[in-house]
Coordinates of all heavy atoms in Angstrom, one line a residue:
M662 N -156.4 -7.6 -17.6 CA -155.1 -8.1 -17.3 C -154.0 -7.0 -17.6 O -153.1 -6.8 -16.8 CB -154.8 -9.3 -18.1 CG -153.5 -10.0 -17.8 SD -153.6 -10.7 -16.1 CE -152.2 -11.7 -16.1
V663 N -154.2 -6.3 -18.7 CA -153.2 -5.3 -19.1 C -153.2 -4.1 -18.0 O -152.1 -3.7 -17.6 CB -153.5 -4.7 -20.5 CG1 -152.7 -3.5 -20.8 CG2 -153.3 -5.8 -21.5
P664 N -154.4 -3.7 -17.5 CA -154.3 -2.6 -16.5 C -153.6 -3.1 -15.2 O -152.9 -2.3 -14.6 CB -155.8 -2.3 -16.2 CG -156.5 -2.8 -17.4 CD -155.8 -3.9 -18.0
L665 N -153.7 -4.4 -14.9 CA -153.0 -4.9 -13.7 C -151.5 -4.8 -13.9 O -150.8 -4.4 -13.0 CB -153.5 -6.3 -13.4 CG -152.8 -7.0 -12.3 CD1 -153.2 -6.4 -11.0 CD2 -153.1 -8.5 -12.3
I666 N -151.1 -5.2 -15.1 CA -149.6 -5.2 -15.4 C -149.1 -3.8 -15.4 O -148.0 -3.5 -14.8 CB -149.3 -5.9 -16.7 CG1 -149.7 -7.4 -16.6 CG2 -147.9 -5.7 -17.1 CD1 -149.6 -8.2 -17.8
I667 N -149.9 -2.9 -16.0 CA -149.5 -1.4 -16.0 C -149.4 -0.9 -14.6 O -148.5 -0.2 -14.2 CB -150.4 -0.6 -16.9 CG1 -150.2 -1.1 -18.4 CG2 -150.2 0.9 -16.7 CD1 -151.2 -0.5 -19.3
G668 N -150.4 -1.2 -13.8 CA -150.4 -0.8 -12.4 C -149.2 -1.3 -11.6 O -148.5 -0.6 -10.8
M669 N -148.8 -2.6 -11.8 CA -147.7 -3.2 -11.1 C -146.4 -2.5 -11.6 O -145.5 -2.2 -10.8 CB -147.6 -4.7 -11.4 CG -148.7 -5.4 -10.7 SD -148.8 -7.2 -11.2 CE -147.1 -7.7 -10.8
L670 N -146.3 -2.2 -12.9 CA -145.1 -1.5 -13.4 C -145.0 -0.1 -12.8 O -143.9 0.4 -12.5 CB -145.1 -1.4 -14.9 CG -144.9 -2.8 -15.6 CD1 -145.0 -2.6 -17.1 CD2 -143.5 -3.3 -15.3
L671 N -146.1 0.6 -12.7 CA -146.1 1.9 -12.0 C -145.6 1.8 -10.6 O -144.9 2.7 -10.1 CB -147.5 2.6 -12.1 CG -147.9 3.1 -13.5 CD1 -149.4 3.5 -13.5 CD2 -147.0 4.2 -13.9
C672 N -146.1 0.8 -9.9 CA -145.7 0.7 -8.5 C -144.2 0.4 -8.4 O -143.5 1.0 -7.5 CB -146.4 -0.5 -7.8 SG -148.2 -0.1 -7.5
V673 N -143.7 -0.4 -9.2 CA -142.2 -0.7 -9.3 C -141.4 0.6 -9.6 O -140.4 0.9 -9.0 CB -141.9 -1.9 -10.2 CG1 -140.4 -2.0 -10.5 CG2 -142.5 -3.2 -9.7
G674 N -141.9 1.3 -10.6 CA -141.3 2.6 -10.9 C -141.3 3.6 -9.8 O -140.3 4.2 -9.5
L675 N -142.4 3.6 -9.1 CA -142.5 4.5 -7.9 C -141.5 4.1 -6.8 O -140.8 4.9 -6.2 CB -143.9 4.6 -7.4 CG -144.2 5.5 -6.2 CD1 -143.9 6.9 -6.5 CD2 -145.6 5.3 -5.7
A676 N -141.4 2.8 -6.6 CA -140.5 2.3 -5.6 C -139.0 2.6 -5.9 O -138.2 3.0 -5.1 CB -140.7 0.8 -5.4
L677 N -138.7 2.4 -7.2 CA -137.3 2.8 -7.7 C -137.0 4.3 -7.5 O -135.9 4.7 -7.1 CB -137.1 2.3 -9.1 CG -137.0 0.8 -9.4 CD1 -137.0 0.5 -10.9 CD2 -135.8 0.3 -8.7
A678 N -138.0 5.1 -7.8 CA -137.9 6.5 -7.6 C -137.6 6.9 -6.2 O -136.8 7.7 -5.8 CB -139.1 7.3 -8.1
V679 N -138.4 6.3 -5.2 CA -138.2 6.5 -3.8 C -136.8 6.1 -3.4 O -136.1 6.9 -2.7 CB -139.2 5.8 -3.0 CG1 -138.9 5.9 -1.5 CG2 -140.6 6.5 -3.2
V680 N -136.3 5.0 -3.8 CA -135.0 4.5 -3.5 C -133.9 5.5 -4.1 O -133.0 5.9 -3.4 CB -134.7 3.1 -4.0 CG1 -133.2 2.7 -3.9 CG2 -135.5 2.1 -3.2
A681 N -134.1 5.9 -5.3 CA -133.2 6.9 -5.9 C -133.1 8.2 -5.1 O -132.1 8.8 -4.9 CB -133.5 7.1 -7.3
V682 N -134.3 8.7 -4.7 CA -134.3 10.0 -4.0 C -133.8 9.9 -2.6 O -133.1 10.8 -2.1 CB -135.8 10.5 -4.0 CG1 -136.0 11.7 -3.0 CG2 -136.3 10.9 -5.3
V683 N -133.9 8.8 -1.9 CA -133.5 8.6 -0.5 C -132.2 8.0 -0.3 O -131.3 8.5 0.3 CB -134.6 7.8 0.3 CG1 -134.2 7.6 1.7 CG2 -135.9 8.6 0.3
A684 N -132.0 6.8 -0.9 CA -130.8 6.0 -0.6 C -129.6 6.5 -1.4 O -128.5 6.5 -0.8 CB -131.1 4.5 -1.0
V685 N -129.7 6.9 -2.6 CA -128.5 7.3 -3.4 C -127.8 8.5 -2.8 O -126.6 8.5 -2.6 CB -128.9 7.5 -4.9 CG1 -127.7 8.1 -5.7 CG2 -129.3 6.2 -5.5
P686 N -128.5 9.6 -2.5 CA -127.8 10.7 -1.8 C -127.2 10.4 -0.5 O -126.1 10.8 -0.1 CB -128.9 11.8 -1.7 CG -130.0 11.4 -2.7 CD -129.9 10.0 -2.8
A687 N -127.9 9.5 0.3 CA -127.4 9.1 1.6 C -126.1 8.3 1.4 O -125.1 8.5 2.2 CB -128.4 8.3 2.4
R688 N -126.1 7.5 0.4 CA -124.9 6.7 0.2 C -123.7 7.6 -0.3 O -122.6 7.4 0.1 CB -125.2 5.6 -0.9 CG -124.1 4.6 -1.1 CD -123.9 3.8 0.1 NE -122.9 2.8 -0.1 CZ -122.1 2.4 0.8 NH1 -122.2 2.7 2.1 NH2 -121.1 1.5 0.5
R689 N -124.0 8.6 -1.1 CA -123.0 9.5 -1.6 C -122.4 10.3 -0.4 O -121.2 10.7 -0.5 CB -123.5 10.4 -2.6 CG -123.7 9.8 -3.9 CD -124.1 10.7 -5.0 NE -124.4 10.0 -6.3 CZ -125.1 10.5 -7.2 NH1 -125.8 11.6 -7.1 NH2 -125.3 9.8 -8.3
E690 N -123.2 10.6 0.6 CA -122.7 11.3 1.8 C -121.9 10.4 2.7 O -121.4 10.9 3.7 CB -123.9 12.0 2.5 CG -124.5 13.1 1.7 CD -125.7 13.6 2.4 OE1 -126.0 13.2 3.6 OE2 -126.5 14.4 1.9
G691 N -121.8 9.1 2.4 CA -121.0 8.2 3.2 C -121.8 7.5 4.3 O -121.2 6.7 5.0
R692 N -123.1 7.7 4.3 CA -123.9 7.0 5.3 C -124.2 5.6 4.8 O -124.4 5.4 3.6 CB -125.2 7.7 5.6 CG -125.0 9.0 6.4 CD -126.4 9.7 6.7 NE -126.7 10.4 5.5 CZ -127.9 10.9 5.3 NH1 -128.9 10.7 6.1 NH2 -128.2 11.6 4.2
D693 N -124.2 4.7 5.8 CA -124.5 3.3 5.4 C -126.0 3.2 5.2 O -126.8 3.9 5.7 CB -124.1 2.3 6.5 CG -122.6 2.2 6.7 OD1 -121.9 2.4 5.6 OD2 -122.1 2.0 7.8
L694 N -126.4 2.2 4.4 CA -127.8 2.0 4.1 C -128.5 1.4 5.3 O -129.7 1.7 5.5 CB -128.0 1.2 2.8 CG -127.5 1.8 1.5 CD1 -127.7 0.9 0.4 CD2 -128.3 3.1 1.3
L695 N -127.8 0.5 6.0 CA -128.4 -0.1 7.2 C -127.7 0.4 8.4 O -126.5 0.7 8.4 CB -128.2 -1.6 7.0 CG -128.9 -2.3 5.9 CD1 -128.6 -3.8 5.9 CD2 -130.4 -2.2 6.1
S696 N -128.5 0.4 9.5 CA -127.9 0.8 10.8 C -127.1 -0.4 11.3 O -127.2 -1.5 10.7 CB -129.0 1.1 11.8 OG -129.8 0.0 12.0
P697 N -126.3 -0.2 12.3 CA -125.6 -1.4 12.9 C -126.5 -2.5 13.3 O -126.2 -3.7 13.1 CB -124.9 -0.8 14.1 CG -124.7 0.7 13.8 CD -125.9 1.0 13.0
Q698 N -127.7 -2.2 13.8 CA -128.6 -3.2 14.2 C -129.1 -3.9 12.9 O -129.3 -5.1 13.0 CB -129.8 -2.5 14.9 CG -130.9 -3.5 15.4 CD -132.1 -2.9 16.0 OE1 -132.2 -1.7 16.0 NE2 -132.9 -3.7 16.6
G699 N -129.4 -3.2 11.9 CA -129.8 -3.8 10.6 C -128.7 -4.7 10.1 O -129.0 -5.8 9.5
E700 N -127.5 -4.4 10.2 CA -126.4 -5.2 9.7 C -126.3 -6.5 10.5 O -126.1 -7.6 10.0 CB -125.0 -4.5 9.9 CG -124.9 -3.3 9.0 CD -124.6 -3.6 7.5 OE1 -124.2 -4.8 7.3 OE2 -124.7 -2.7 6.7
E701 N -126.6 -6.4 11.8 CA -126.6 -7.6 12.7 C -127.8 -8.5 12.3 O -127.6 -9.8 12.2 CB -126.7 -7.2 14.2 CG -125.5 -6.6 14.7 CD -125.7 -6.1 16.1 OE1 -126.7 -6.5 16.8 OE2 -124.9 -5.3 16.6
I702 N -128.9 -8.0 12.0 CA -130.1 -8.8 11.6 C -129.8 -9.5 10.3 O -130.1 -10.7 10.1 CB -131.3 -7.9 11.5 CG1 -131.7 -7.4 12.8 CG2 -132.4 -8.6 10.8 CD1 -132.8 -6.4 12.8
V703 N -129.2 -8.8 9.3 CA -128.8 -9.4 8.0 C -127.8 -10.5 8.2 O -128.0 -11.6 7.6 CB -128.3 -8.4 7.0 CG1 -127.7 -9.0 5.8 CG2 -129.4 -7.4 6.6
A704 N -126.8 -10.3 9.1 CA -125.9 -11.4 9.3 C -126.5 -12.6 10.0 O -126.2 -13.8 9.6 CB -124.7 -10.9 10.2
A705 N -127.4 -12.4 10.9 CA -128.1 -13.5 11.6 C -129.0 -14.2 10.6 O -129.0 -15.5 10.6 CB -129.0 -12.9 12.7
V706 N -129.7 -13.5 9.7 CA -130.5 -14.2 8.7 C -129.7 -15.1 7.8 O -130.0 -16.2 7.4 CB -131.4 -13.2 7.9 CG1 -132.0 -13.8 6.7 CG2 -132.4 -12.6 8.8
K707 N -128.5 -14.5 7.3 CA -127.6 -15.3 6.5 C -127.1 -16.6 7.2 O -127.1 -17.6 6.6 CB -126.4 -14.4 6.1 CG -126.7 -13.4 5.0 CD -125.4 -12.6 4.6 CE -125.7 -11.6 3.6 NZ -124.5 -10.8 3.2
E708 N -126.8 -16.4 8.4 CA -126.3 -17.6 9.2 C -127.4 -18.6 9.3 O -127.2 -19.8 9.1 CB -125.8 -17.2 10.6 CG -125.2 -18.3 11.4 CD -124.7 -17.8 12.7 OE1 -124.2 -16.7 12.8 OE2 -124.9 -18.5 13.7
K709 N -128.6 -18.2 9.7 CA -129.7 -19.1 9.8 C -130.1 -19.8 8.5 O -130.4 -21.0 8.4 CB -131.0 -18.4 10.3 CG -130.9 -18.1 11.8 CD -132.2 -17.4 12.3 CE -132.1 -17.0 13.7 NZ -133.3 -16.3 14.2
T710 N -130.0 -19.1 7.4 CA -130.2 -19.6 6.1 C -129.2 -20.7 5.7 O -129.6 -21.8 5.2 CB -130.2 -18.5 5.0 OG1 -131.2 -17.5 5.3 CG2 -130.5 -19.1 3.6
A711 N -128.0 -20.4 6.0 CA -126.9 -21.4 5.8 C -127.1 -22.7 6.6 O -127.0 -23.8 6.1 CB -125.5 -20.9 6.0
D712 N -127.5 -22.5 7.9 CA -127.8 -23.7 8.8 C -129.0 -24.5 8.3 O -128.9 -25.7 8.3 CB -128.0 -23.2 10.2 CG -126.8 -22.6 10.9 OD1 -125.7 -22.8 10.4 OD2 -126.9 -21.9 11.9
T713 N -130.0 -23.8 7.9 CA -131.2 -24.5 7.4 C -130.9 -25.2 6.1 O -131.3 -26.3 5.9 CB -132.3 -23.4 7.1 OG1 -132.6 -22.7 8.3 CG2 -133.6 -24.1 6.6
L714 N -130.1 -24.6 5.2 CA -129.7 -25.3 4.0 C -128.9 -26.6 4.3 O -129.2 -27.6 3.7 CB -128.9 -24.4 3.1 CG -128.4 -24.9 1.8 CD1 -129.6 -25.3 0.9 CD2 -127.5 -23.9 1.0
E715 N -127.9 -26.5 5.2 CA -127.2 -27.7 5.5 C -128.1 -28.8 6.1 O -128.0 -30.0 5.8 CB -126.1 -27.3 6.5 CG -125.0 -26.5 5.9 CD -123.9 -26.0 7.0 OE1 -124.0 -26.6 8.1 OE2 -123.1 -25.2 6.6
S716 N -129.0 -28.4 7.0 CA -129.9 -29.3 7.6 C -130.8 -30.0 6.6 O -131.0 -31.2 6.7 CB -130.7 -28.6 8.7 OG -131.7 -29.4 9.2
T717 N -131.3 -29.2 5.7 CA -132.2 -29.7 4.6 C -131.4 -30.7 3.8 O -132.0 -31.8 3.4 CB -132.7 -28.6 3.8 OG1 -133.4 -27.7 4.6 CG2 -133.7 -29.1 2.7
I718 N -130.2 -30.4 3.4 CA -129.4 -31.3 2.6 C -129.2 -32.6 3.3 O -129.2 -33.7 2.7 CB -128.1 -30.6 2.1 CG1 -128.4 -29.6 1.1 CG2 -127.1 -31.7 1.6 CD1 -127.2 -28.7 0.7
E719 N -128.9 -32.5 4.6 CA -128.6 -33.7 5.4 C -129.9 -34.6 5.5 O -129.8 -35.8 5.3 CB -128.2 -33.4 6.8 CG -126.8 -32.9 7.0 CD -126.5 -32.4 8.4 OE1 -127.3 -32.7 9.3 OE2 -125.5 -31.8 8.6
K720 N -131.0 -34.0 5.7 CA -132.3 -34.7 5.8 C -132.8 -35.3 4.5 O -133.4 -36.4 4.5 CB -133.4 -33.8 6.4 CG -133.1 -33.5 7.9 CD -134.1 -32.5 8.5 CE -133.8 -32.2 9.9 NZ -134.7 -31.2 10.4
T721 N -132.6 -34.6 3.4 CA -133.1 -35.1 2.1 C -132.1 -35.8 1.3 O -132.4 -36.3 0.2 CB -133.7 -33.9 1.3 OG1 -132.6 -33.0 1.1 CG2 -134.8 -33.3 2.1
G722 N -130.8 -35.9 1.7 CA -129.8 -36.6 0.9 C -130.1 -38.0 0.6 O -130.0 -38.4 -0.6
D723 N -130.6 -38.8 1.5 CA -131.0 -40.2 1.3 C -132.2 -40.3 0.3 O -132.2 -41.1 -0.6 CB -131.3 -40.9 2.6 CG -130.1 -41.0 3.5 OD1 -129.0 -41.0 3.0 OD2 -130.3 -41.2 4.7
V724 N -133.1 -39.4 0.4 CA -134.3 -39.4 -0.4 C -133.9 -39.1 -1.9 O -134.4 -39.7 -2.8 CB -135.4 -38.4 0.1 CG1 -136.5 -38.3 -0.9 CG2 -135.9 -38.8 1.5
I725 N -133.0 -38.1 -2.0 CA -132.6 -37.7 -3.3 C -131.8 -38.8 -4.0 O -132.1 -39.1 -5.2 CB -131.7 -36.4 -3.3 CG1 -132.6 -35.2 -2.9 CG2 -131.1 -36.1 -4.6 CD1 -131.9 -33.9 -2.6
S726 N -130.9 -39.5 -3.3 CA -130.1 -40.5 -3.9 C -131.1 -41.7 -4.2 O -130.9 -42.3 -5.3 CB -129.0 -41.0 -3.0 OG -129.5 -41.5 -1.8
A727 N -132.0 -42.0 -3.4 CA -132.9 -43.1 -3.7 C -133.8 -42.8 -4.9 O -134.0 -43.7 -5.7 CB -133.8 -43.4 -2.5
T728 N -134.2 -41.5 -5.0 CA -135.0 -41.1 -6.2 C -134.2 -41.2 -7.5 O -134.7 -41.7 -8.5 CB -135.5 -39.7 -6.0 OG1 -136.3 -39.6 -4.8 CG2 -136.4 -39.3 -7.2
K729 N -132.9 -40.8 -7.4 CA -132.1 -40.9 -8.6 C -131.9 -42.3 -9.0 O -131.9 -42.7 -10.2 CB -130.7 -40.2 -8.3 CG -130.8 -38.7 -8.3 CD -129.4 -38.2 -8.0 CE -129.4 -36.6 -8.0 NZ -128.1 -36.1 -7.7
D730 N -131.7 -43.2 -8.0 CA -131.5 -44.6 -8.3 C -132.8 -45.2 -9.0 O -132.7 -46.0 -9.9 CB -131.2 -45.4 -7.0 CG -129.8 -45.1 -6.5 OD1 -129.0 -44.6 -7.3 OD2 -129.6 -45.5 -5.3
K731 N -134.0 -44.8 -8.4 CA -135.2 -45.3 -9.0 C -135.5 -44.8 -10.4 O -135.9 -45.6 -11.3 CB -136.4 -44.9 -8.0 CG -137.7 -45.4 -8.4 CD -137.8 -46.9 -8.2 CE -139.2 -47.4 -8.4 NZ -139.3 -48.8 -8.4
V732 N -135.2 -43.6 -10.6 CA -135.3 -43.0 -12.0 C -134.4 -43.7 -12.9 O -134.7 -44.0 -14.0 CB -135.2 -41.5 -11.9 CG1 -135.0 -40.9 -13.3 CG2 -136.3 -40.8 -11.2
G733 N -133.1 -43.9 -12.5 CA -132.2 -44.6 -13.3 C -132.6 -46.0 -13.6 O -132.4 -46.4 -14.8
D734 N -133.2 -46.7 -12.7 CA -133.7 -48.0 -13.0 C -134.8 -48.0 -14.0 O -134.9 -48.9 -14.9 CB -134.1 -48.7 -11.7 CG -133.0 -49.0 -10.7 OD1 -131.8 -49.0 -11.2 OD2 -133.3 -49.3 -9.5
T735 N -135.7 -47.0 -13.9 CA -136.8 -46.9 -14.8 C -136.4 -46.6 -16.2 O -136.8 -47.1 -17.1 CB -137.8 -45.8 -14.3 OG1 -138.2 -46.1 -12.9 CG2 -139.0 -45.7 -15.2
V736 N -135.4 -45.7 -16.3 CA -134.9 -45.3 -17.6 C -134.2 -46.4 -18.3 O -134.3 -46.6 -19.5 CB -134.0 -44.0 -17.5 CG1 -133.4 -43.7 -18.8 CG2 -134.9 -42.8 -17.0
Q737 N -133.4 -47.2 -17.5 CA -132.6 -48.3 -18.1 C -133.4 -49.6 -18.2 O -132.8 -50.6 -18.4 CB -131.4 -48.4 -17.3 CG -130.5 -47.2 -17.3 CD -129.3 -47.4 -16.4 OE1 -129.1 -48.4 -15.7 NE2 -128.5 -46.4 -16.3
R738 N -134.7 -49.6 -18.0 CA -135.5 -50.8 -18.0 C -135.5 -51.4 -19.4 O -135.4 -50.7 -20.4 CB -136.9 -50.4 -17.6 CG -137.8 -51.6 -17.4 CD -139.1 -51.2 -16.9 NE -139.7 -50.1 -17.6 CZ -140.7 -49.4 -17.2 NH1 -141.3 -49.7 -16.1 NH2 -141.2 -48.4 -18.0
D739 N -135.6 -52.7 -19.5 CA -135.6 -53.5 -20.7 C -136.9 -53.2 -21.5 O -138.0 -53.3 -20.9 CB -135.5 -55.0 -20.4 CG -135.3 -55.8 -21.6 OD1 -134.9 -55.3 -22.7 OD2 -135.5 -57.0 -21.5
P740 N -136.8 -52.8 -22.8 CA -138.0 -52.5 -23.5 C -138.9 -53.7 -23.7 O -140.1 -53.5 -24.0 CB -137.5 -52.1 -24.9 CG -136.0 -51.9 -24.7 CD -135.6 -52.6 -23.5
S741 N -138.4 -54.9 -23.6 CA -139.3 -56.1 -23.7 C -140.3 -56.2 -22.6 O -141.4 -56.8 -22.7 CB -138.5 -57.4 -23.8 OG -137.8 -57.5 -22.5
E742 N -140.1 -55.5 -21.5 CA -141.1 -55.5 -20.4 C -142.3 -54.7 -20.8 O -143.4 -54.9 -20.2 CB -140.4 -54.8 -19.1 CG -139.3 -55.6 -18.5 CD -138.7 -54.9 -17.4 OE1 -139.2 -53.9 -16.9 OE2 -137.6 -55.3 -16.9
D743 N -142.2 -53.8 -21.7 CA -143.3 -52.9 -22.1 C -144.1 -53.4 -23.3 O -144.8 -52.7 -23.9 CB -142.8 -51.5 -22.4 CG -142.3 -50.8 -21.1 OD1 -142.7 -51.2 -20.0 OD2 -141.4 -49.9 -21.3
S744 N -143.9 -54.7 -23.7 CA -144.4 -55.1 -25.0 C -145.9 -55.0 -25.0 O -146.5 -54.8 -26.1 CB -143.9 -56.6 -25.2 OG -144.4 -57.4 -24.2
G745 N -146.6 -55.3 -24.0 CA -148.1 -55.2 -24.0 C -148.7 -53.9 -23.6 O -149.9 -53.8 -23.6
R746 N -147.9 -53.0 -23.2 CA -148.4 -51.8 -22.6 C -149.1 -50.8 -23.6 O -150.0 -50.1 -23.3 CB -147.3 -51.0 -22.0 CG -147.6 -50.8 -20.5 CD -146.5 -50.0 -19.9 NE -146.2 -50.6 -18.7 CZ -145.4 -50.2 -17.8 NH1 -144.7 -49.1 -18.0 NH2 -145.2 -50.8 -16.7
H747 N -148.5 -50.7 -24.8 CA -148.9 -49.6 -25.7 C -149.7 -50.2 -26.9 O -149.5 -49.9 -28.1 CB -147.7 -48.9 -26.2 CG -147.0 -48.2 -25.1 ND1 -147.4 -47.2 -24.4 CD2 -145.7 -48.5 -24.6 CE1 -146.6 -46.9 -23.5 NE2 -145.5 -47.7 -23.6
R748 N -150.6 -51.0 -26.6 CA -151.5 -51.6 -27.7 C -152.6 -50.7 -28.0 O -153.2 -50.0 -27.2 CB -152.0 -53.0 -27.3 CG -150.9 -54.0 -27.3 CD -151.5 -55.4 -27.2 NE -150.4 -56.3 -27.1 CZ -150.5 -57.5 -26.6 NH1 -151.7 -57.9 -26.1 NH2 -149.5 -58.3 -26.5
R749 N -152.9 -50.6 -29.3 CA -154.1 -49.8 -29.7 C -155.4 -50.4 -29.4 O -155.6 -51.6 -29.6 CB -153.9 -49.6 -31.2 CG -154.2 -48.3 -31.6 CD -154.0 -48.2 -33.1 NE -154.3 -46.9 -33.5 CZ -154.2 -46.4 -34.7 NH1 -153.7 -47.2 -35.6 NH2 -154.5 -45.2 -35.0
A750 N -156.3 -49.7 -28.9 CA -157.7 -50.2 -28.7 C -158.4 -50.4 -30.0 O -158.4 -49.5 -30.8 CB -158.4 -49.3 -27.7
S751 N -159.1 -51.5 -30.1 CA -159.8 -51.7 -31.4 C -161.3 -51.3 -31.3 O -161.9 -51.3 -30.4 CB -159.8 -53.2 -31.7 OG -158.6 -53.7 -31.7

């Protein structure tokens, strides 16, 4: 397990080194990290993510409220209903 973790850390370190060698000097020279096409793709992904999030909230809103109501009913249940539930086996 330890060799796996060390290997993963080495890979992350190598990736950071590549970014430092390539992206940092390019950014200092004033070049953008993404091309105009890359910027458009990022904007489209952000828009789709927001739309998907809104759609998911709309579709699951009723389920979430029903679940909250059910959990609230269970938590506020009268303890006398559970009188025979927790008996010790002889």
Side-chain angles (χ1 to χ4, degrees):
M662 185 68 169
V663 174
L665 177 67
I666 293 172
I667 292 172
M669 290 172 56
L670 289 174
L671 286 173
C672 289
V673 169
L675 181 61
L677 289 174
V679 168
V680 168
V682 168
V683 175
V685 172
R688 187 69 180 148
R689 285 188 183 155
E690 291 176 7
R692 288 184 277 166
D693 292 330
L694 294 178
L695 295 176
S696 65
Q698 181 184 9
E700 295 284 344
E701 290 175 13
I702 292 171
V703 168
V706 168
K707 284 182 181 179
E708 184 178 324
K709 286 181 183 179
T710 302
D712 292 344
T713 303
L714 179 62
E715 289 175 14
S716 174
T717 302
I718 289 173
E719 286 177 11
K720 291 178 182 177
T721 60
D723 294 336
V724 173
I725 291 172
S726 63
T728 304
K729 285 181 181 178
D730 291 342
K731 184 68 172 173
V732 169
D734 291 345
T735 303
V736 171
Q737 296 174 0
R738 187 173 49 192
D739 185 19
S741 64
E742 294 176 9
D743 293 335
S744 61
R746 236 185 227 188
H747 303 290
R748 290 193 183 158
R749 219 174 180 180
S751 309

